[in-house]
C-alpha cells in the first residue's frame, strides 16, 4: 500500500471534491481538458504527487455531471494527463442500514466493483455487463476507522425492485453512480484502484433517496474529506 507516490482522485461532484481540494491544498490545473467540462487539480503532499479530477458542469444545465459517461471520460483524461500509479474513486453513496451502515459512515471498496443495472441474460455477456472489476486490497486501512463493502454502480438515483434484486444477488453493499466506470478505465490501463465512499442515504430507510441525499450531503462530504486525509497520511508515512 505504501509504494504509491503518484495518486489521482477521480470524483464526480464539486461538492464532494472541494473539501479534499482544500485539505490537501491542491491548485487548479488550467491545462486539464481545455474546452471540455472536466477539471483537474494537482499538488504535492510530503512525498506524494497528487492529482484530482472531477466530471465538471453540464454546459446546458450548469449542474454537476454525474453518472458513468462523464466518469469514463474524466478517468481516461486523468490517466493520460497525470499517469497515476493509483486511482482513488472518492464520493458519496447509499448503503443498507440492515448491514450496519449509518449516515456519514465512510466505506472502502472490497473484492470488486460491479454494475447493478445491466441485465444481459446471455452467457458471457452477463458477466461482462456486470463487470466484476477488481479493486486493490486496502483492508490494512480498516484500522483507521473505515468500514468495507462491495461497491455497485448504476445510472439512476432511485432503486427500483429489479435493481435491488440485482444488488442483493451480487452481494452489493454500497450503491453509487460512477465507480464501475472509473474501474473499467483503470483496468484497461492496468492502474490499481480502490473506492472511498461516504454514506448520504440508507437504501432501506423508507425515506426518498433524494431527500436523504440533500439532507446529509454536507455531513458525508465532511467525513469523506477526513477519511481521505487519513488515507493520504497513511500512504505518506
Amino acid at each position: 500500500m505504501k509504494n504509491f507516490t503518484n495518486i489521482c482522485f477521480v470524483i464526480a461532484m464539486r461538492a464532494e471534491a472541494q473539501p479534499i481540494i482544500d485539505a490537501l491544498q491542491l491548485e487548479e490545473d488550467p491545462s486539464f481538458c481545455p474546452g471540455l467540462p472536466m477539471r483537474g487539480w494537482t499538488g504535492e503532499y510530503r512525498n506524494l504527487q497528487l492529482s484530482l479530477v472531477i466530471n465538471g458542469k453540464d454546459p446546458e444545465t450548469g449542474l454537476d455531471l454525474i453518472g458513468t459517461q462523464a466518469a469514463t471520460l474524466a478517468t481516461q483524461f486523468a490517466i493520460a494527463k497525470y499517469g497515476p500509479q493509483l486511482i482513488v474513486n472518492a464520493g458519496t453513496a447509499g448503503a443498507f442500514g440492515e448491514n450496519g451502515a449509518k449516515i456519514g459512515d465512510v466505506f472502502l471498496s472490497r473484492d470488486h466493483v460491479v454494475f447493478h443495472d445491466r441485465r444481459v441474460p446471455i452467457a458471457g455477456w452477463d458477466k461482462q455487463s456486470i463487470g466484476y472489476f477488481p479493486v486493490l486490497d486496502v483492508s490494512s486501512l480498516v484500522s483507521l476507522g473505515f468500514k468495507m463493502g462491495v461497491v455497485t454502480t448504476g445510472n439512476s438515483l432511485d432503486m427500483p425492485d429489479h435493481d435491488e434484486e440485482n444488488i442483493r444477488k451480487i452481494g452489493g453493499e454500497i450503491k453509487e453512480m460512477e465507480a464501475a466506470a472509473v474501474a473499467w478505465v483503470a483496468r484497461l490501463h492496468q492502474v490499481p484502484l480502490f473506492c472511498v465512499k461516504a454514506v448520504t442515504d440508507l437504501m432501506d430507510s423508507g425515506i426518498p433517496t433524494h431527500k436523504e441525499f440533500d439532507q446529509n450531503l454536507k455531513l458525508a462530504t465532511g467525513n469523506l474529506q477526513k477519511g481521505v486525509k487519513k488515507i493520504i497520511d497513511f500512504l505518506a508515512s
Side-chain angles (χ1 to χ4, degrees):
M1 273 295 297
K2 294 192 177 184
N3 295 324
F4 301 108
T5 58
N6 183 351
I7 301 167
C8 181
F9 292 90
V10 178
I11 302 175
M13 298 174 60
R14 181 67 179 264
E16 297 167 324
Q18 192 62 54
I20 298 171
I21 293 169
D22 294 341
L24 299 177
Q25 298 183 322
L26 303 180
E27 298 290 334
E28 186 160 10
D29 176 6
S31 70
F32 185 71
C33 290
L36 293 175
M38 294 75 195
R39 298 175 66 184
W41 287 258
T42 62
E44 294 183 5
Y45 185 81
R46 292 159 66 178
N47 61 322
L48 303 179
Q49 183 67 42
L50 303 177
S51 54
L52 182 151
V53 304
I54 64 172
N55 295 346
K57 303 283 188 181
D58 174 47
E60 293 188 15
T61 64
L63 300 174
D64 290 282
L65 289 164
I66 57 175
T68 58
Q69 290 167 288
T72 299
L73 270 180
T75 307
Q76 173 60 33
F77 287 131
I79 292 173
K81 176 73 173 179
Y82 301 122
Q85 298 167 317
L86 172 67
I87 291 176
V88 181
N89 173 231
T92 56
F96 286 109
E98 67 188 40
N99 291 339
K102 296 180 176 61
I103 299 295
D105 280 349
V106 181
F107 278 79
L108 305 177
S109 56
R110 65 173 176 84
D111 299 339
H112 46 242
V113 178
V114 298
F115 287 105
H116 64 250
D117 61 352
R118 293 185 173 183
R119 295 172 291 278
V120 186
I122 302 174
W125 276 313
D126 52 355
K127 181 178 179 181
Q128 181 198 96
S129 63
I130 292 173
Y132 296 104
F133 308 112
V135 295
L136 187 69
D137 179 6
V138 292
S139 54
S140 60
L141 297 176
V142 171
S143 62
L144 300 178
F146 298 105
K147 297 181 178 181
M148 297 192 78
V150 173
V151 177
T152 78
T153 297
N155 272 303
S156 296
L157 190 65
D158 65 354
M159 186 174 64
D161 290 343
H162 48 260
D163 280 1
E164 181 175 358
E165 180 182 348
N166 281 349
I167 291 171
R168 293 183 181 279
K169 183 178 179 180
I170 57 186
E173 295 157 288
I174 304 298
K175 172 184 174 290
E176 53 82 81
M177 298 180 66
E178 288 86 19
V182 177
W184 176 68
V185 180
R187 188 179 70 171
L188 288 178
H189 290 275
Q190 299 183 333
V191 180
L193 166 140
F194 70 94
C195 305
V196 187
K197 300 290 176 177
V199 176
T200 53
D201 56 278
L202 299 177
M203 296 180 280
D204 49 355
S205 68
I207 302 172
T209 300
H210 66 279
K211 290 186 177 180
E212 281 196 307
F213 177 82
D214 288 339
Q215 179 179 341
N216 300 314
L217 181 61
K218 185 175 181 179
L219 170 66
T221 54
N223 288 354
L224 179 68
Q225 177 263 306
K226 294 173 186 175
V228 165
K229 186 65 164 47
K230 286 181 181 179
I231 292 169
I232 291 300
D233 284 334
F234 177 86
L235 293 175
S237 63

